[in-house]
Amino acid sequence: MLGDRLKILRSERKLTQEELASKIGVTRGTYAHYEINKRQPDYDTLIKLADFFEVSTDYLLKGEDFYSQAKNILDNPDLQYAARDGEISEAEALDRIARILEKQKGRVPGQRQPRPKPRRN
Amino acid sequence: MLGDRLKILRSERKLTQEELASKIGVTRGTYAHYEINKRQPDYDTLIKLADFFEVSTDYLLKGEDFYSQAKNILDNPDLQYAARDGEISEAEALDRIARILEKQKGRVPGQRQPRPKPRRN
DNA sequence: TAACTAAGAAATTCTTAGCCC
DNA sequence: GGGCTAAGAATTTCTTAGTTA
């Protein structure tokens, strides 16, 4: 449920309900309802939450992790069509993407790793 | 706005408001309000719409096209971290993905192309 | 201090029915 | 037929204030 994910995301950032509530422009009571799944924020507020936590609304609403979100994109015929039409073979491109995404399995947005240092090449 | 995208998606599928309304479990009047942005469907209904049209809720809510959705993923530090840690160099992987995604620019979900024929290799 | 919740007020949405094109 | 909308009913949400841990 949405509330469970909000609670986790907020806890990771070590914020109180009141602090988060003020950031997204609602009272603390209102936000509390969201976390215990008693109320649904309107779309504007949902988008503010997604932006603040840097996750997709798909993740907030459906609980899809990074892997399944990315996989949805790979399954999109549009992507496959474009890949076929390019210089890179479809099979090669998809294989390489798939191998990268595979490493994401089980990881969810918010559980951040240190950002990799830039490479030169 | 959500309603504009719903209208386009429905038109592409050549369905009437009534047909679509029955598919997602609301009356035709209720659905009509969504398309002219007079009402906001609840989350359950929003998800049904996203599933039916095979688009993300991010697309319905924020109007992000395929390209920007995919780009968000590329910008995710998690992905960059994983790529760096793998056999494929980060730069190579991201470059290849980026070139594929570039072809998607300006195209949005729903504007489907014929699915590419499978290749053998 | 922080999280949760009852209750009345307020706002939004739903349905029906009808109108317009 | 197909899309749009008024209006009252129904439902949901908001805020305040107070309780609980």
Side-chain angles (χ1 to χ4, degrees), chain A residues 2 14 24-26 30-32 39 42 51 55-56 63 69-70 72 77 80 82 90 98 101 107 113:
Chain A
L2 168 64
K14 301 197 193 313
I24 59 169
V26 297
T30 295
Y31 178 77
R39 302 274 191 281
D42 62 27
D51 287 345
V55 298
S56 67
Q69 288 177 54
N72 284 341
Q80 296 170 29
E90 178 191 355
L101 295 174
R107 304 184 58 227
Q113 303 292 328

Side-chain angles (χ1 to χ4, degrees), chain A residues 35-46:
Chain A
E35 281 200 1
I36 55 179
N37 298 303
K38 292 261 182 173
R39 302 274 191 281
Q40 301 193 320
D42 62 27
Y43 289 166
D44 275 354
T45 305
L46 180 74

Side-chain angles (χ1 to χ4, degrees), chain B residues 31-99:
Chain B
Y31 178 77
H33 286 297
Y34 299 155
E35 282 200 1
I36 55 179
N37 297 302
K38 291 258 182 174
R39 302 275 190 281
Q40 299 193 322
D42 63 26
Y43 289 167
D44 275 353
T45 305
L46 179 74
I47 290 171
K48 282 182 190 169
L49 287 164
D51 287 345
F52 177 80
F53 288 129
E54 296 181 284
V55 298
S56 67
T57 57
D58 265 32
Y59 174 66
L60 290 182
L61 293 176
K62 305 203 277 184
E64 292 190 336
D65 62 17
F66 182 89
Y67 178 73
S68 45
Q69 287 178 53
K71 196 156 185 326
N72 285 342
I73 288 194
L74 285 180
D75 290 341
N76 190 316
D78 288 345
L79 175 60
Q80 295 172 28
Y81 179 81
R84 187 201 59 171
D85 226 38
E87 299 161 10
I88 308 157
S89 84
E90 179 191 356
E92 179 191 5
L94 291 180
D95 178 62
R96 285 174 183 273
I97 297 170
R99 285 163 69 193

Side-chain angles (χ1 to χ4, degrees), chain A residues 75-94:
Chain A
D75 290 339
N76 190 316
D78 288 346
L79 175 61
Q80 296 170 29
Y81 178 80
R84 186 201 61 169
D85 225 37
E87 301 161 13
I88 309 157
S89 84
E90 178 191 355
E92 180 190 5
L94 291 180

Side-chain angles (χ1 to χ4, degrees), chain A residues 5-103:
Chain A
R5 292 183 277 279
L6 290 178
K7 186 164 202 151
I8 292 170
L9 289 165
R10 178 178 60 81
S11 301
E12 286 173 353
R13 285 157 181 75
K14 301 197 193 313
L15 297 170
T16 66
Q17 290 186 340
E18 180 153 31
E19 289 168 332
L20 183 50
S22 77
K23 282 180 189 299
I24 59 169
V26 297
T27 65
R28 72 173 188 284
T30 295
Y31 178 77
H33 285 298
Y34 299 155
E35 281 200 1
I36 55 179
N37 298 303
K38 292 261 182 173
R39 302 274 191 281
Q40 301 193 320
D42 62 27
Y43 289 166
D44 275 354
T45 305
L46 180 74
I47 290 171
K48 283 183 190 169
L49 287 165
D51 287 345
F52 177 79
F53 288 129
E54 296 181 285
V55 298
S56 67
T57 57
D58 266 31
Y59 174 67
L60 289 182
L61 293 177
K62 305 203 276 182
E64 290 192 337
D65 61 18
F66 181 90
Y67 177 73
S68 44
Q69 288 177 54
K71 195 153 185 330
N72 284 341
I73 288 193
L74 285 180
D75 290 339
N76 190 316
D78 288 346
L79 175 61
Q80 296 170 29
Y81 178 80
R84 186 201 61 169
D85 225 37
E87 301 161 13
I88 309 157
S89 84
E90 178 191 355
E92 180 190 5
L94 291 180
D95 179 61
R96 285 174 184 270
I97 297 170
R99 285 163 68 192
I100 294 169
L101 295 174
E102 186 65 27
K103 298 179 184 301

